[in-house]
Amino acid sequence: EDQVTQSPEALRLQEGESSSLNCSYTVSGLRGLFWYRQDPGKGPEFLFTLYSAGEEKEKERLKATLTKKESFLHITAPKPEDSATYLCAVQRSGFQKLVFGTGTRLLVSP
Amino acid sequence: NAGVTQTPKFQVLKTGQSMTLQCAQDMNHNSMYWYRQDPGMGLRLIYYSASEGTTDKGEVPNGYNVSRLNKREFSLRLESAAPSQTSVYFCASSGQGTLYEQYFGPGTRLTVT
């Protein structure tokens, strides 16, 4: 069974304090690993797709990396507007369905 | 370009009542999905439609039915609502080929009393 585990459940940072969120996964044949951002009361917003180990993608202060067992979302010099829940999901090859983790709640204080 | 839209935004039902959640997308996507999100459980797939005319069960289909009305619209029906169906419901859509990213609507917050 495909599984996704995200850690930590919650993370509190000071503005400018860089850190990383972790997404560990088990899947039989990875087609893609997806990162989403979710603000309170809103739907998840797509951030990145990673397809193979060693791949990296960046967007503003966020960088996502992928190994064969886990993905990291690195947040460099975060700002309060980066506060949100970050969700990770995996897709198995040959399947359309995504399996989501329960997310990491990030709070960035000024 | 509105993306994925959902109606209603909020709904309160009594146990045993029925209702239909509506979803539409304007991105010309082939696939559409219904999820529910509960605290501590993450997003769980209820039903999906890989293309117009097809529907398949997801992880938690019991108590729900779906209809893919056309390429744009995918509805979720609760025939006899139960308190366990209190949740936030999200619709999503995705394209083909390498573009399997799913794009989500704003959600419907449903309370069943």
Side-chain angles (χ1 to χ4, degrees), chain B residues 31-74:
Chain B
S31 302
M32 298 184 74
Y33 312 81
W34 276 105
Y35 292 88
R36 60 178 289 173
Q37 187 174 40
D38 303 290
M41 301 289 290
L43 282 158
R44 292 183 292 168
L45 184 65
I46 304 171
Y47 271 93
Y48 71 102
S49 171
S51 60
E52 190 177 352
T54 68
T55 60
D56 285 287
K57 294 178 181 179
E59 184 184 352
V60 289
N62 291 345
Y64 306 95
N65 285 301
V66 291
S67 295
R68 184 75 183 265
L69 305 170
N70 48 55
K71 190 171 185 178
R72 290 187 62 249
E73 297 172 289
F74 190 37

Side-chain angles (χ1 to χ4, degrees), chain A residues 16-27:
Chain A
E17 180 187 0
S18 302
S19 188
S20 296
L21 313 182
N22 177 263
C23 171
S24 297
Y25 66 90
T26 54
V27 62

